Amino acid sequence: MAEVILEVALEGLEFFGYHGYYEEEGEKGNWFKVDVKTTSLLQDPSLLDRDELGNTVNYEVLYSIVQQEMENRVKLLETVAYRILERVKCYPHVENIEISVTKLNPPVGGDCKSAKVTLKTKA
């Protein structure tokens, strides 16, 4: 059987957090959205027919990783995304990871719906 590419993603995860470069951001907080996507190349796709969670990426675990990192205040969105990405690498069969962190209404001195950073890597 041919190899199969499996994508497991969580989109639009919402968190209130205190990430931001400025002291005021650390005090007032803000809303954030996070997207996580993993890609796995399945050498033996018939494993999925066994209906076992261990043969895929557990998105409950992905959510927990994101939640934990969103609770740890850092200054840069890039840092949050990087820390999530590094922890998602725990899955040995994941080939690619993409993490996006979006800050809603960032303090840029004018109207701005959101600021977003995205990291992509081969695991």
Side-chain angles (χ1 to χ4, degrees):
M1 176 177 246
E3 296 175 329
V4 172
I5 296 172
L6 170 67
E7 290 184 354
V8 175
L10 291 176
E11 299 175 337
L13 304 177
E14 294 185 16
F15 300 93
F16 190 85
Y18 296 90
H19 309 296
Y21 186 78
Y22 300 105
E23 188 176 320
E24 182 178 325
E25 294 177 282
E27 294 170 1
K28 289 186 176 181
N30 204 341
W31 283 98
F32 297 84
K33 288 192 176 187
V34 179
D35 299 316
V36 179
K37 181 168 102 174
T38 66
T39 305
S40 303
L41 181 60
L42 302 179
Q43 302 292 333
D44 183 5
S46 67
L47 289 174
L48 295 176
D49 194 39
R50 295 183 185 166
D51 208 24
E52 297 287 334
L53 190 56
N55 294 327
T56 188
V57 175
N58 182 336
Y59 50 79
E60 186 177 21
V61 172
L62 287 181
Y63 182 88
S64 179
I65 289 170
V66 173
Q67 182 181 36
Q68 290 169 16
E69 292 304 328
M70 291 303 293
E71 290 173 356
N72 297 320
R73 183 185 190 284
V74 296
K75 292 180 181 178
L76 302 177
L77 299 181
E78 292 86 344
T79 302
V80 176
Y82 178 76
R83 289 179 178 180
I84 294 168
L85 184 134
E86 285 297 305
R87 291 189 58 198
V88 172
K89 286 182 178 180
C90 69
Y91 285 100
H93 54 280
V94 169
E95 300 285 327
N96 297 297
I97 303 167
E98 181 175 323
I99 311 290
S100 294
V101 179
T102 303
K103 179 188 289 189
L104 304 180
N105 302 308
V108 294
D111 290 336
C112 181
K113 182 179 177 180
S114 64
K116 177 179 176 179
V117 300
T118 300
L119 295 181
K120 300 176 185 181
T121 190
K122 291 189 177 237

